[in-house]
Amino acid sequence: MLRAAAVLVLLAAMGWPRPGLVMSTANAQVPPEKDAGWQSDVGGLRHFTGLRCPDVVGAYFRIKAMEGDADSLAGCIYTGRDGITAVLRKHLQSGGRRQALKFSRNYKAAGFEPITLTGAAASGISFRTRNWTPTSLCETLWYFSGTDADYTLWLAYTLPTQDIEVGPALDSFTNVLAKQN
């Protein structure tokens, strides 16, 4: 309240409001989440597209809400133990497969090595994106078709140290997705 009063005093000192100018505080009353396209929800947030992103998914904590773009309706970034990163995104129906193909083409074009993994990662599209250190950075993308929309989950982790955490991560995020539709 004091900050708003100080701004008004400063504006008045600068000759504001100018004659004929109507000042409105309506825009100042809009909560920031309304501009970002999400609302607070029990245990997390809900994007205006309907995607629910819990604060915690398994061992992962939501660190950022993502706005929609031409390919994705909404999404959230999560981080887990030792820097494992997960990105959960919602797409228009049948858009998940297109995103998976785009992911594969772009990574191949960038020169990354496609790899075949076992376990939970075997059902995704995986690339080795760093192989010049003792541990290799791996990025895997899964796509899922829902009744009303498609979803993608992208996971970045190191091999061989974090491969055991891929299965539980995939299970945790697919449980969240099962509750979406």
Side-chain angles (χ1 to χ4, degrees), residues 5 23 54-55 77 85 139 142 144 155 173:
M23 290 183 63
D55 293 334
I77 300 174
T85 303
E139 299 182 30
W142 294 266
F144 311 94
L155 204 64
F173 282 99

Side-chain angles (χ1 to χ4, degrees), residues 17-162:
R18 302 213 189 272
L21 178 68
V22 177
M23 290 183 63
S24 171
T25 59
N27 290 340
Q29 303 295 324
V30 176
E33 62 268 16
K34 297 290 184 187
D35 289 332
W38 57 269
Q39 295 177 337
S40 293
D41 194 15
V42 175
L45 62 86
R46 181 176 44 84
H47 296 266
F48 288 166
T49 65
L51 176 65
R52 282 181 153 57
C53 291
D55 293 334
V56 179
V57 176
Y60 297 84
F61 298 91
R62 183 174 42 79
I63 58 171
K64 183 175 181 178
M66 300 167 62
E67 295 181 35
D69 58 25
D71 297 321
S72 304
L73 299 175
C76 282
I77 300 174
Y78 290 83
T79 189
R81 294 183 207 119
D82 301 324
I84 294 177
T85 303
V87 178
L88 180 65
R89 296 211 63 138
K90 180 178 182 178
H91 307 277
L92 293 174
Q93 197 156 21
S94 76
R97 181 166 164 39
R98 281 193 302 274
Q99 287 303 304
L101 291 171
K102 183 177 176 182
F103 171 82
S104 183
R105 277 190 222 117
N106 289 346
Y107 274 56
K108 285 178 185 174
F112 294 123
E113 173 191 353
I115 56 175
T116 302
L117 298 171
T118 60
S123 61
I125 302 165
S126 298
F127 286 87
R128 183 175 323 225
T129 56
R130 182 186 68 208
N131 59 3
W132 58 87
T133 61
T135 58
S136 295
L137 183 63
C138 182
E139 299 182 30
T140 302
L141 182 90
W142 294 266
Y143 71 94
F144 311 94
S145 296
T147 56
D148 298 325
D150 283 4
Y151 303 91
T152 56
L153 173 65
W154 172 86
L155 204 64
Y157 51 97
T158 58
L159 294 175
T161 57
Q162 296 175 325

